[in-house]
């Protein structure tokens, strides 16, 4: 490894291992599974403005991705499972490690309070699960339940089912209108995975996964990840042992104060990117991000949590929870990836009855981009693919202030163009 890498190398490495650079390299349902494995975890979000964030993430990585392909793999094929306060789906093979966290959830003060206050409802839902096989909170009429004030719902049945899920006594069997339908864990989990790792095994796995998810990381937030208090000397010893064994490597990035950790198994890939080579496994199946712009979801791991600023010098905040009068860009603004840079953004909403993507605002980082023929062509290709995914017939770009870019977007008037 070189002594340090450039910010461009770091950016391309993060994008490439996520399947976003130099172009889409997976296709269809099998490709969706490979993309989800490469991402390590897919964050779920219920909000639908254009499409749900997790569907947008997979569309940006997978050719011919269809809405809810992730759900087919998770609930029908059981390749993944969903769990957590930070809601994500993860490979089912990892479940024995996560079951340790499910056990640790029981000792969290919040859940102990829930058990004390709603113990009878929890035991009732446990019995209902055994009797019925699958249960949704929607199955219980409001007037038959105790009303509660919780962000998990207004009925005690909602909180009780959520508790059983968080501590591992129930799993999500499927979703209906994005609402969870629960089942007893042993009805969902394959027998070979119905076990629990040791605490040491789980901690080892989860710490390594933190590095794997981020690609380059300072390993912050360990206590929240492991659901236990971890002393600094323990983390230091783990880090030094993994570095000595070359299971981790330390990477310095130009302009970043502290070194980052990366997986030792990805050292060759990082060397290739640093040398200007595209790793063989990353070669795209059709267009590249140079000739087709890609629209990123608000929760995409390459831009969320402040990463857009660190990697791309791109100020980005998902403003969906920002009061309207304080928003700088818009309610549901998507960053635009061109090449290996974030160069623009647009706020939009899908008008389903009119099958029209309505663009509410469009901004470029560099004003010169508005006159760039190559970017206009790449934007048109990206928008055409986007409209096909959304099953929209047109994009309303009347508010786009740049004439060349407005024309490029309007040229995508039919599905498949």
């Amino acid at each position: 490894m070189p002594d340090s890498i450039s910010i461009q190398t770091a950016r391309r490495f993060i994008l490439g291992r996520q399947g976003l650079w130099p172009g889409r390299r997976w296709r269809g349902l099998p490709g969706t599974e490979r993309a989800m494995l490469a991402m390590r975890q897919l964050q779920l979000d219920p909000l639908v403005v254009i499409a749900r964030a997790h569907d947008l993430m997979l569309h940006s990585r997978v050719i011919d991705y269809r809405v809810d392909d992730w759900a087919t793999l998770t609930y029908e094929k059981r390749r993944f499972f969903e769990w957590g306060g930070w809601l994500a789906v993860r490979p089912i093979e990892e479940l024995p490690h996560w079951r340790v966290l499910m056990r640790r959830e029981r000792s969290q003060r919040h859940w102990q309070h829930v058990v004390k206050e709603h113990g009878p409802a929890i035991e009732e839902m446990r019995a209902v699960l055994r009797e019925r096989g699958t249960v949704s909170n929607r199955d219980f009429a409001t007037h038959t339940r105790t009303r509660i004030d919780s962000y998990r719902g207004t009925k005690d049945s909602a909180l009780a089912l959520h508790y059983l899920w968080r501590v591992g006594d129930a799993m999500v069997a499927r979703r209906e209108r994005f609402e969870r339908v629960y089942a007893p864990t042993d009805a969902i989990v394959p027998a070979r995975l119905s076990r629990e790792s040791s605490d040491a095994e789980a901690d080892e796995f989860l710490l390594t996964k933190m590095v794997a998810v981020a690609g380059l990381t300072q390993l912050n937030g360990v206590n929240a990840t492991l659901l236990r208090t971890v002393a600094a000397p323990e983390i230091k010893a783990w880090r030094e042992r993994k570095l000595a064994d070359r299971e981790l490597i330390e990477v310095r990035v130009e302009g970043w104060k502290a070194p980052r950790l990366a997986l030792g198994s990805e050292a060759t890939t990082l060397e290739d990117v640093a040398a200007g080579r595209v790793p063989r496994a990353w070669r795209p199946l059709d267009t590249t991000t140079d000739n087709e712009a890609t629209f990123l979801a608000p929760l995409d791991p390459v831009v969320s949590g402040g990463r857009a600023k660190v990697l791309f010098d791109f100020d980005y905040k998902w403003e969906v929870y920002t009061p309207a009068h304080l928003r700088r860009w818009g309610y549901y603004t998507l960053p635009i990836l061109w090449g290996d840079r974030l160069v623009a953004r647009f706020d939009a909403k899908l008008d389903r009855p009119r099958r029209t993507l309505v663009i509410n605002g469009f901004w470029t980082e560099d004003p010169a981009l508005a006159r760039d023929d190559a970017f206009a062509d790449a934007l048109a290709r990206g928008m055409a693919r986007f409209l096909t995914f959304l099953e929209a017939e047109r994009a309303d770009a009347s508010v786009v202030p740049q004439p060349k870019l407005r024309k490029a977007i309007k040229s995508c008037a039919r599905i498949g163009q």
Side-chain angles (χ1 to χ4, degrees):
M1 285 293 300
D3 291 337
S4 66
I5 61 173
S6 67
I7 186 63
Q8 182 185 58
T9 295
R11 188 166 57 239
R12 288 181 170 182
F13 177 67
I14 296 298
L15 287 168
R17 64 194 303 279
Q18 279 281 327
L20 289 167
W21 182 85
R24 292 174 176 86
R25 59 179 183 261
W26 300 298
R27 186 189 301 273
L29 190 64
T32 300
E33 181 174 2
R34 289 193 286 274
M36 291 170 69
L37 290 172
M39 295 174 74
R40 268 80 175 189
Q41 56 190 23
L42 177 69
Q43 185 175 0
L44 304 184
D45 187 79
L47 188 62
V48 184
V49 177
I50 302 171
R52 290 192 171 97
H54 44 273
D55 285 311
L56 293 174
M57 287 184 227
L58 290 167
H59 163 72
S60 66
R61 290 161 169 81
V62 182
I63 299 168
D64 298 332
Y65 175 77
R66 298 174 302 178
V67 169
D68 284 342
D69 274 353
W70 71 273
T72 298
L73 292 165
T74 302
Y75 308 121
E76 295 180 24
K77 297 184 178 295
R78 300 294 178 199
R79 301 281 202 273
F80 301 87
F81 72 100
E82 71 162 274
W83 183 79
W86 186 88
L87 181 59
V89 294
R90 303 173 176 90
I92 191 72
E93 301 296 327
E94 298 178 359
L95 185 56
H97 303 305
W98 292 95
R99 286 176 68 87
V100 174
L101 292 191
M102 295 173 187
R103 168 169 51 81
R104 290 176 183 171
E105 285 274 4
R106 297 173 187 269
S107 62
Q108 300 298 302
R109 182 177 301 176
H110 168 69
W111 291 125
Q112 290 180 338
H113 175 74
V114 168
V115 170
K116 182 178 180 180
E117 187 171 351
H118 301 286
I122 291 171
E123 292 311 309
E124 179 190 357
M125 290 302 109
R126 198 190 304 276
V128 169
L129 277 167
R130 288 196 298 267
E131 177 185 344
R132 300 185 188 179
T134 59
V135 177
S136 167
N137 180 54
R138 194 184 296 271
D139 296 341
F140 303 95
T142 301
H143 72 274
T144 67
R145 305 305 312 178
T146 299
R147 184 174 180 84
I148 62 171
D149 182 17
S150 170
Y151 71 101
R152 297 301 178 193
T154 59
K155 297 178 286 188
D156 61 348
S157 54
L159 184 58
L161 286 168
H162 186 82
Y163 168 80
L164 292 172
W165 172 63
R166 288 289 291 272
V167 301
D169 291 348
M171 298 285 283
V172 179
R174 63 184 184 277
R175 281 183 176 261
E176 295 177 355
R177 288 177 288 178
F178 210 68
E179 183 170 341
R180 298 185 189 101
V181 178
Y182 300 95
T185 296
D186 57 9
I188 298 294
V189 178
R192 61 186 174 79
L193 297 176
S194 59
R195 60 181 179 83
E196 184 179 303
S197 301
S198 70
D199 283 87
E201 289 172 334
D203 288 350
E204 177 79 11
F205 166 80
L206 291 165
L207 287 171
T208 303
K209 188 176 176 78
M210 287 183 69
V211 182
V213 168
L216 296 170
T217 181
Q218 289 182 277
L219 210 64
N220 296 324
V222 169
N223 289 358
T225 296
L226 299 186
L227 290 181
R228 69 177 182 88
T229 301
V230 185
E234 181 182 348
I235 291 299
K236 181 180 179 182
W238 180 84
R239 176 188 180 121
E240 290 177 350
R241 173 170 58 84
K242 302 292 274 190
L243 288 170
D245 294 341
R246 299 294 292 173
E247 292 180 38
L248 296 179
I249 55 174
E250 199 169 66
V251 181
R252 294 189 176 275
V253 181
E254 292 174 354
W256 294 3
K257 292 182 179 179
R260 267 43 173 193
L261 295 175
L263 295 177
S265 59
E266 295 187 328
T268 299
T269 298
L270 194 50
E271 288 173 355
D272 283 343
V273 177
R277 298 186 294 267
V278 175
R280 181 181 296 274
W282 291 7
R283 293 177 184 175
L285 296 179
D286 57 9
T287 57
T288 69
T289 53
D290 285 317
N291 51 44
E292 180 182 330
T294 303
F295 310 143
L296 302 185
L299 295 175
D300 196 294
V302 305
V303 298
S304 63
R307 257 194 160 183
K309 182 64 176 178
V310 173
L311 283 172
F312 302 93
D313 195 24
F314 186 86
D315 285 319
Y316 181 72
K317 176 187 177 183
W318 191 28
E319 296 181 313
V320 69
Y321 299 114
T322 302
H325 69 284
L326 296 177
R327 290 181 195 137
R328 183 180 179 190
W329 307 109
Y331 184 75
Y332 207 85
T333 301
L334 307 186
I336 299 178
L337 176 69
W338 185 39
D340 62 6
R341 297 302 304 269
L342 297 181
V343 299
R345 70 191 82 205
F346 70 95
D347 177 52
K349 181 177 181 179
L350 183 60
D351 186 335
R352 288 170 176 80
R354 294 173 51 217
R355 302 185 74 179
T356 300
L357 180 68
V358 180
I359 296 177
N360 301 315
F362 192 100
W363 305 268
T364 60
E365 291 294 282
D366 182 353
L369 207 62
R371 301 180 297 276
D372 192 309
D373 290 336
F375 176 65
D377 290 343
L379 179 64
R381 292 189 189 97
M383 187 60 69
R385 190 188 297 267
F386 201 50
L387 294 180
T388 299
F389 164 66
L390 297 173
E391 297 184 346
E393 295 179 350
R394 64 188 65 83
D396 180 350
S398 56
V399 305
V400 177
Q402 304 91 343
K404 183 183 289 291
L405 304 184
R406 183 170 64 247
K407 181 179 179 181
I409 294 171
K410 286 184 176 181
S411 71
C412 308
R414 293 182 184 277
I415 293 177
Q417 282 193 335

